[in-house]
């Protein structure tokens, strides 16, 4: 009741003021009929306050998101279902759902009166142009009585999470270098290290069948060795995402970093569908195997990845070297210096095949002619350093489309022509 009195509208307060004035006039004039009018004017807003104050605790709300995960630029549908749990009908309800700024303005929806134990649903759509995880809610409900004398606001504390993932674009099927590199215990790798006789052996583990002991290997190594069981052939790929803040430029959804995040998502999904056992590594410390969790786990991590001022190339290399998977490595890098490009040569250990999508992130800036020439020269020098260390380099300019660039990852002969062209460019710049 106290909350209801605090929620009296201007109309309700006017009724109380009129009741007080009528009561005073009735006392002065001695008119009993005027006193009855005063009582009626006072009872109406009090009844409205009691009605609204009581009914505010008899509402149930349920929110559903369709879907819970959506790509950048898509729409999601939010459905609100309210049910009147009391025996009294409600007045008109004004619903307002709280949304973060990235999802747009707060929607306001009018819901007509609900009868006893009646339920009704309303829906609205949201759109996000920036990836991330967003809280939808809580819901604010404004309740009024049929005469508009009292209005109360109730907040439902429940919230739902909407995940906006990077946009995934389909890529053409191409034959990639290193696509037949097997897993860490593949036969080809064991033969290269130990020879044919030891290709299918490993150290004895407690519980192994003694009939599997390989005595020749045991005699040579001095440790009990057993034959390995045959394992299915498995191609491995690692996607590296550069999160150095100083390596990227631009703001909002069109920034160079957003291009690399979308490219990482597209390449990872494409490789998983092609049968690769995939690993995603970022400079921010994300290191996941996307085999068990599917594309959803991968995209959820990429939805929240951010640039980091503390990340350097050495940081990214440390994360990669924590596990020596070999296989195919695809790196998505922003602007690199020549020294940083030379450091990346260390990732070609274990016969790894390395492909680099090298962004000229300065192209996302409006630079004067001289600064543009210097930036282009630095970009070409970094690309040449990567080529000389054995990386396959694909240059990316502002406006570049990944589906058009992707076939270059499988063209081995173009790397030599590009290397020569860049060498001439750099040499000409030095002169």
């Amino acid at each position: 009741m106290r909350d209801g009195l605090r929620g009296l509208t201007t109309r309700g307060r006017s009724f109380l003021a009129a009741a007080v004035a009528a009561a005073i006039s009735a006392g002065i004039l001695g008119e009993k009929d005027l006193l009855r009018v005063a009582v009626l004017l006072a009872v109406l807003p009090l009844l409205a306050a009691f009605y609204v104050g009581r009914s505010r605790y008899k509402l149930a709300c349920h929110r559903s998101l369709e879907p819970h995960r959506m790509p950048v630029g898509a729409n999601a549908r939010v459905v609100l279902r309210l049910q009147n749990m009391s025996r009294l009908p409600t007045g008109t309800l004004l619903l307002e759902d709280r949304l973060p700024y990235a999802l747009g303005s707060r929607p306001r929806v009018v819901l007509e009166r609900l009868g006893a134990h009646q339920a009704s649903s309303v829906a609205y759509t949201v759109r996000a142009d920036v990836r991330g995880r967003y809280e939808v809610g809580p819901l604010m409900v404004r309740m009024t009585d049929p005469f508009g004398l009292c209005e109360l606001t109730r907040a439902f504390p429940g919230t739902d999470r909407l995940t906006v993932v990077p946009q995934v674009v389909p890529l053409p099927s191409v034959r990639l270098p290193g696509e037949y590199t097997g897993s860490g215990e593949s036969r080809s790798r064991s033969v290269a290290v130990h020879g044919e006789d030891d290709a299918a052996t490993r150290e004895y583990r407690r519980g192994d069948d003694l009939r599997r002991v390989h005595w020749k290997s045991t005699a040579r190594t001095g440790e009990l060795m057993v034959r390995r069981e045959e394992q299915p052939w498995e191609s491995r790929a690692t996607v590296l995402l550069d999160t150095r803040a100083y390596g990227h430029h631009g703001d909002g959804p069109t920034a160079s970093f957003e291009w690399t995040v979308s490219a990482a998502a597209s390449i990872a999904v494409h490789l998983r569908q092609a049968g690769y056992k995939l690993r995603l590594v970022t400079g921010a410390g994300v290191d996941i195997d996307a085999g068990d969790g599917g594309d959803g786990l991968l995209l959820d991590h990429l939805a929240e990845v951010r640039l980091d001022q503390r990340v350097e190339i050495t940081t990214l290399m440390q994360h990669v070297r924590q596990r020596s998977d070999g296989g195919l490595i695809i790196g998505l890098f922003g602007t690199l210096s020549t020294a940083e490009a030379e450091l990346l040569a260390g990732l070609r250990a274990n016969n790894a095949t390395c492909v680099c999508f090298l962004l000229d992130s300065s192209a996302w800036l409006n630079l004067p002619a001289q600064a543009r020439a210097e930036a282009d020269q630095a970009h070409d020098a970094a690309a040449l350093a990567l080529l000389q260390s054995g990386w396959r380099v694909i240059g990316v300019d502002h406006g570049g489309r990944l589906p058009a660039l992707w076939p270059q990852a499988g063209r081995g002969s173009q790397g030599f022509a590009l290397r020569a062209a860049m060498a001439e460019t750099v040499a000409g710049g030095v002169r």
Side-chain angles (χ1 to χ4, degrees):
M1 183 64 182
R2 184 178 302 175
D3 292 337
L5 291 175
R6 284 198 295 262
L8 288 175
T9 63
T10 302
R11 181 182 302 176
R13 296 177 186 277
S14 298
F15 267 65
L16 287 180
V20 172
I24 294 174
S25 299
I28 295 174
L29 300 176
E31 291 288 340
K32 293 183 179 180
D33 292 337
L34 188 57
L35 183 59
R36 294 189 183 96
V37 172
V39 172
L40 178 62
L41 291 175
V43 167
L44 281 177
L46 294 178
L47 289 177
F50 174 78
Y51 166 73
V52 175
R54 181 178 181 276
S55 62
R56 67 186 291 263
Y57 298 104
K58 299 297 183 179
L59 288 176
C61 174
H62 174 73
R63 181 192 296 104
S64 61
L65 302 179
E66 302 172 2
H68 282 272
R69 180 191 294 116
M70 70 176 188
V72 169
N75 293 329
R77 188 167 181 260
V78 183
V79 180
L80 298 171
R81 179 178 176 83
L82 261 72
Q83 183 174 7
N84 181 13
M85 307 297 292
S86 68
R87 299 178 180 178
L88 298 175
T90 69
T92 302
L93 304 177
L94 176 62
L95 312 182
E96 180 179 321
D97 222 2
R98 291 187 177 179
L99 295 178
Y101 176 77
L103 296 183
S105 59
R106 296 180 180 180
R108 291 181 173 86
V109 183
V110 176
L111 187 65
E112 296 299 332
R113 58 177 295 173
L114 294 175
H117 303 288
Q118 183 182 0
S120 182
S121 299
V122 293
Y124 64 93
T125 58
V126 295
R127 174 189 173 93
D129 294 324
V130 181
R131 58 185 175 79
R133 291 179 184 264
Y134 302 102
E135 294 288 339
V136 179
L139 175 67
M140 309 295 293
V141 179
R142 291 184 181 179
M143 297 170 289
T144 63
D145 65 283
F147 303 104
L149 300 176
C150 183
E151 179 181 277
L152 286 180
T153 301
R154 178 183 177 185
F156 291 88
T159 61
D160 290 272
R161 176 169 291 184
L162 177 66
T163 303
V164 181
V165 301
Q167 186 177 19
V168 176
V169 296
L171 301 179
S173 297
V174 297
R175 184 172 179 176
L176 298 173
E179 63 181 352
Y180 297 113
T181 304
S183 62
E185 296 185 0
S186 66
R187 179 176 177 84
S188 62
R189 184 170 303 173
S190 299
V191 171
V193 176
H194 300 293
E196 181 65 27
D197 289 340
D198 296 331
T201 61
R202 60 169 174 79
E203 294 181 358
Y204 174 83
R205 299 170 187 168
R206 185 174 181 180
D208 286 338
D209 189 350
L210 292 178
R211 289 175 296 182
R212 294 171 51 201
V213 174
H214 192 274
W215 296 109
K216 187 175 181 178
S217 299
T218 300
R220 182 168 58 252
T221 61
E223 297 181 1
L224 198 59
M225 306 292 289
V226 297
R227 295 183 181 88
R228 283 202 306 262
E229 297 177 354
E230 292 185 1
Q231 298 180 6
W233 191 259
E234 192 174 64
S235 293
R236 288 182 176 269
T238 302
V239 177
L240 310 183
L241 178 60
D242 178 18
T243 59
R244 296 171 301 127
Y246 59 85
H248 294 276
H249 299 290
D251 298 316
T254 60
S256 64
F257 181 63
E258 296 303 319
W259 193 98
T260 60
V261 173
S262 177
S266 302
I267 293 172
V269 170
H270 177 77
L271 293 180
R272 270 184 43 78
Q273 293 174 351
Y276 281 81
K277 184 174 179 60
L278 190 74
R279 178 189 178 197
L280 173 68
V281 181
T282 75
V286 174
D287 187 349
I288 59 171
D289 289 314
D292 299 330
D295 295 341
L297 175 65
L298 179 78
L299 295 176
D300 285 349
H301 279 83
L302 289 176
E304 296 186 291
V305 67
R306 295 289 182 265
L307 290 172
D308 195 332
Q309 297 285 351
R310 300 166 295 178
V311 172
E312 298 180 355
I313 286 297
T314 54
T315 309
L316 182 61
M317 294 181 64
Q318 289 173 0
H319 293 319
V320 177
R321 287 172 173 172
Q322 288 176 357
R323 287 167 41 196
S324 180
D325 288 349
L328 175 64
I329 296 178
I330 298 181
L332 296 135
F333 294 98
T335 299
L336 291 173
S337 66
T338 304
E340 290 173 330
E342 292 173 349
L343 285 175
L344 289 172
L347 294 182
R348 297 201 66 251
N350 299 324
N351 298 321
T353 302
C354 299
V355 179
C356 172
F357 286 84
L358 183 60
L359 271 71
D360 182 9
S361 60
S362 63
W364 272 255
L365 301 174
N366 292 323
L367 299 177
Q370 182 177 356
R372 166 57 51 202
E374 294 175 354
D376 291 342
Q377 180 179 339
H379 176 73
D380 294 342
L384 180 60
L386 285 171
L387 286 166
Q388 290 174 341
S389 64
W391 280 74
R392 182 170 298 187
V393 181
I394 303 166
V396 181
D397 293 324
H398 188 224
R401 297 180 63 253
L402 182 62
L405 298 171
W406 180 245
Q408 298 183 32
R411 298 173 186 169
S413 61
Q414 288 191 352
F416 297 100
L418 180 61
R419 180 183 304 177
M422 288 188 173
E424 293 178 1
T425 303
V426 174
V430 172
R431 296 192 192 96

